[in-house]
Amino acid sequence: MKLTLRIWRQAGPADSGRMVAYEVPDANPDMSFLELLDVLNERLTLEGDDPVTFDHDCREGICGSCGVVINGQAHGPRERTTTCQLHMREFADGDVIDVEPWRSVAFGVVKDLMVDRSGLDRIIRAGGYISANTGSAPEAHATPVPKPIADTAFDNATCIGCGACVAACPNGSAMLFTSAKVTHLNSLPQGAPERADRVLNLVEAMDAEGFGGCTNTGECTVACPKGIPLDSIATLNREYLRASLGRK
Amino acid sequence: MAVTTPTRPAPAPRPARPARSSFAPLNFWRSTIGKKTVMAVTGLLMLAFLIAHMLGNLKIFYGRDDFDHYADWLRTIGEPVLHGAWYLWIQRFVLTLAVVLHAVSAYQLSRRDLKARPAKYAHKQRAKAGYAVHVMRYGGITLALFIIYHILDFTTLTLNRHGVEGAAYDNVVSSFSVWWVTAIYIVAMIFLGLHIQHGFWSAAQTLGLNRPNRDRAVHGIATGLAVLLTVGFLIVPVAVLAGLVD
Ligand code: HEM
Ligand code: SF4
Ligand code: FES
């Protein structure tokens, strides 16, 4: 396949950045999107050009590093798919593809397609965990969890912290991410002791990062590679209201 | 181009985090979710008022005497427990507070939202959200202007052509006999319908009342209320303009 990539090039945080077009005449439909960028970068390196910087790690859809915006869609056109799991067979020979970094004031561009998502880490640090003594694993049957609750918690635990929800949101809001953490931990008995503090602290940290608010637009859930539903945001709102009313 | 290695930028200065107050309602008001909750509660309060208002307007079809008598009663609800127009003034105070809190929250949240995502992408995004979501802000501004116009038209009677206190029926007929006044009402009520269509569902979401198995019902009620209010409010001006009420 012959493809034209128009990629956001930005030398560093201070640079203003621009779209630059590159031809990739030898793309293979079975390549992943990141492999396509690898092929382009190999050529750029050989030609003495600066390769395109992009974040990646696992390349199997579980680490959350690799997100870019492809033709205006976070992680590209295929739903529930990370950029690393997107294959070129989704595109047609001769396509022109625009590739941009996540856009949000809370995510500064480090270089080209790589952004600084550490704001999400600071949200986690504010309470996206349970406080438990480490040591030998507790007896699994000591704390029974009803199946529907375990399912909800597990579904929300699949969030990989990629930031696509922020990138897709017209307000750059991190509500879907934060709601996944709160729904995951606050539905489980293990999360109960810190239930109220967790949601208050996470929301405070989220607001402090400069993310926008939720207007219930729903772009986030469509972009989310893990299908975190809007229902999690309703749960976050409910938990926040509950904790604000002073209930533990 | 020379090869450059990405370096982590110096952490951007974080927006100053207001110290947490020991007064919980203040923290609530400062948070995005708290302000949005204020919008949801005030929005639902205004919605409840609008349903009653719309149904009351329909009394105009019973004729001048009935309607003027009803309008007069509106000023004296609560008597004799409450003195004179006390109830009226309590209601005016509560509704004004609701409009102001709703508008202030909308302004503050919208400013924050626009600042959080200044750059657009090269393409339009997936069209997940319907038209109603996109016109919440314009619609809100239109409604704010409309509320002012409406009060000048029928409450203070400043802009009313007939403008006789106590003659509600004739005041209404005189306004709506002018085509462009009716046109203003039509535009405003369409925005009202759109605002409620997204707003009702959104408020249920904000208050944490939505569940996956209720989603269709909540959307259905939202659309039903939107149509009911838009059509219900517009029947009167359209009937006047068509000469069915005079
Ligand atoms: C003063 C005029 C008004 C303005 C400026 C305004 C503005 C807005 C805006 C911008 C939003 C979206 C906020 C967001 O998503 O962050 C909104 C939501 C809403 N509005 Fe209004 N509006 C006005 C009047 C009304 C009226 C008359 C009603 C009554 C029916 C109403 C009911 C609602 C409801 C129920 C919501 C949803 C709240 C939520 O999402 O939690 N608004 N309004
Ligand atoms: S909620 Fe979805 S889109 Fe947002 S960070 Fe988690 S996995 Fe990514
Ligand atoms: S590289 Fe890990 S999710 Fe894509």
Side-chain angles (χ1 to χ4, degrees):
Chain A
M1 309 165 78
K2 182 170 171 305
L3 296 170
T4 305
L5 293 176
R6 290 193 302 218
I7 302 179
W8 183 260
R9 301 303 311 263
Q10 183 174 340
D15 185 16
S16 55
R18 69 220 62 91
M19 297 296 270
V20 179
Y22 300 95
E23 300 275 317
V24 183
D26 48 353
N28 181 314
D30 295 331
M31 280 175 175
S32 74
F33 202 85
L34 298 189
E35 285 165 336
L36 179 80
L37 293 178
D38 290 339
V39 167
L40 171 67
N41 275 347
E42 209 158 79
R43 202 188 75 212
L44 291 180
T45 312
L46 290 175
E47 290 170 358
D49 261 352
D50 193 12
V52 179
T53 301
F54 61 93
D55 237 336
H56 64 110
D57 187 21
C58 69
R59 297 208 174 196
E60 55 184 16
I62 55 168
C63 75
S65 318
C66 61
V68 292
V69 170
I70 302 165
N71 287 341
Q73 302 185 331
H75 287 302
R78 225 184 124 89
E79 290 197 5
R80 303 236 180 155
T81 306
T82 53
T83 305
C84 57
Q85 292 293 296
L86 177 70
H87 290 85
M88 299 320 295
R89 50 182 166 270
E90 300 292 329
F91 298 88
D93 191 31
D95 273 2
V96 179
I97 307 172
D98 287 315
V99 193
E100 297 165 89
W102 286 171
R103 297 281 189 205
S104 156
V105 156
F107 292 166
V109 172
V110 177
K111 183 168 183 281
D112 299 336
L113 302 175
M114 180 195 259
V115 299
D116 178 5
R117 286 176 296 121
S118 54
L120 298 184
D121 298 340
R122 284 186 290 272
I123 296 179
I124 295 292
R125 213 193 290 158
Y129 50 78
I130 61 160
S131 304
N133 294 326
T134 53
S136 57
E139 156 62 33
H141 290 300
T143 318
V145 181
K147 172 80 167 128
I149 292 181
D151 284 348
T152 303
F154 199 87
D155 287 348
N156 283 280
T158 60
C159 166
I160 53 177
C162 64
C165 42
V166 178
C169 176
N171 315 314
S173 170
M175 283 282 276
L176 195 66
F177 169 81
T178 309
S179 75
K181 305 302 157 195
V182 167
T183 308
H184 165 204
L185 297 170
N186 279 19
S187 5
L188 292 172
Q190 289 86 347
E194 292 155 307
R195 183 173 173 184
D197 285 342
R198 172 177 303 111
V199 65
L200 294 176
N201 291 337
L202 285 179
V203 170
E204 189 184 69
M206 173 182 87
D207 285 348
E209 291 295 330
F211 292 108
C214 181
T215 50
N216 298 326
T217 305
E219 294 285 349
C220 52
T221 184
V222 188
C224 175
K226 300 299 161 182
I228 305 294
L230 284 186
D231 185 45
S232 297
I233 295 185
T235 303
L236 169 61
N237 290 332
R238 188 162 60 244
E239 289 291 314
Y240 189 76
L241 195 57
R242 189 181 171 281
S244 297
L245 293 173
R247 285 198 269 159
K248 290 287 155 203
Chain B
M1 216 191 272
V3 176
T4 52
T5 315
T7 44
R8 203 186 170 72
R14 294 290 144 199
R17 193 161 160 176
R20 193 186 288 188
S21 161
S22 55
F23 184 54
L26 190 60
N27 294 323
F28 187 71
W29 168 250
R30 281 180 183 158
S31 75
T32 48
I33 300 182
K35 278 205 210 315
K36 186 85 175 161
T37 307
V38 169
M39 295 203 67
V41 172
T42 54
L44 291 177
L45 191 75
M46 291 189 282
L47 177 62
F49 165 75
L50 289 180
I51 294 171
H53 185 5
M54 185 275 289
L55 292 173
N57 290 355
L58 297 180
K59 275 188 166 284
I60 201 160
F61 293 106
Y62 290 113
R64 181 180 284 109
D65 288 348
D66 266 33
F67 191 69
D68 285 353
H69 181 63
Y70 163 71
D72 191 49
W73 170 76
L74 285 179
R75 283 157 207 284
T76 55
I77 304 175
E79 271 184 48
V81 176
L82 294 176
H83 184 75
W86 277 28
Y87 173 80
L88 180 70
W89 281 102
I90 293 170
Q91 174 169 308
R92 282 178 177 169
F93 174 76
V94 171
L95 284 176
T96 308
L97 191 70
V99 173
V100 170
L101 284 176
H102 194 84
V104 169
S105 310
Y107 172 75
Q108 292 182 350
L109 285 174
S110 300
R111 254 185 62 134
R112 181 191 175 95
D113 295 346
L114 293 172
K115 226 170 73 185
R117 228 322 260 298
K120 298 260 174 297
Y121 295 113
H123 292 250
K124 272 234 161 77
Q125 284 168 272
R126 293 181 180 93
K128 157 81 184 175
Y131 182 70
V133 179
H134 296 294
V135 294
M136 284 309 269
R137 288 179 193 150
Y138 300 119
I141 293 167
T142 310
L143 289 175
L145 294 174
F146 172 76
I147 291 169
I148 295 171
Y149 173 74
H150 182 59
I151 289 173
L152 291 175
D153 189 3
F154 289 129
T155 308
T156 67
L157 302 174
T158 319
L159 296 179
N160 196 282
R161 258 146 257 277
H162 188 66
V164 175
E165 203 157 330
Y169 186 95
D170 293 330
N171 293 340
V172 167
V173 172
S174 76
S175 266
F176 293 147
S177 308
V178 183
W179 70 268
W180 57 262
V181 173
T182 297
I184 290 177
Y185 276 80
I186 292 177
V187 171
M189 290 308 107
I190 288 172
F191 273 116
L192 177 70
L194 290 168
H195 204 79
I196 289 167
Q197 210 231 318
H198 176 67
F200 184 79
W201 177 85
S202 184
Q205 176 81 357
T206 302
L207 297 174
L209 301 174
N210 282 347
R211 298 285 187 289
N213 61 356
R214 291 183 198 158
D215 201 56
R216 277 189 53 167
V218 175
H219 273 298
I221 297 172
T223 307
L225 285 173
V227 172
L228 183 80
L229 282 173
T230 302
V231 173
F233 273 126
L234 284 181
I235 287 177
V236 175
V238 170
V240 171
L241 199 62
L244 298 174
V245 174
D246 56 13

